[in-house]
Amino acid sequence: MTDLGQLDDTDIDLAIDEGEADARRATELAARLRRVAAQDPDLAQDLVEGLIVALDQAMGGTIRDHLDGPALGVADRVLRAPEQG
């Protein structure tokens, strides 16, 4: 028999359903954005703004309906800005 050593609950990451899997992916994306922000805040801001624009396009222009507080303010600012080419 193979000794696998000590396991804890972070070693086994099985999603219960698709909604939970989506939530875990979103959490991982947020963690990665925070790591980028710690190293390069300007790059992280560019990534977030690009993500907002892409999500708004993918959602038929309704991303604002799903945001509130500071996130809504950022989306309003980003989506109001003229496109840079």
Side-chain angles (χ1 to χ4, degrees):
M1 182 172 0
T2 304
D3 180 15
L4 297 177
Q6 185 70 21
L7 294 177
D8 63 36
D9 62 352
T10 61
D11 293 326
I12 302 171
D13 189 20
L14 300 174
I16 294 172
D17 60 26
E18 191 61 33
E20 183 178 324
D22 291 343
R24 288 183 184 191
R25 285 190 289 270
T27 299
E28 179 60 25
L29 175 60
R32 289 177 187 215
L33 283 170
R34 283 191 291 277
R35 287 193 296 267
V36 170
Q39 296 295 317
D40 189 341
D42 292 333
L43 174 59
Q45 187 65 40
D46 289 345
L47 290 170
V48 168
E49 290 175 2
L51 182 59
I52 289 169
V53 170
L55 286 171
D56 190 57
Q57 291 172 350
M59 298 171 71
T62 64
I63 193 167
R64 290 178 181 98
D65 298 341
H66 303 276
L67 301 173
D68 60 12
L72 179 57
V74 171
D76 283 342
R77 180 182 55 78
V78 169
L79 296 172
R80 199 173 42 237
E83 290 189 32
Q84 300 177 10

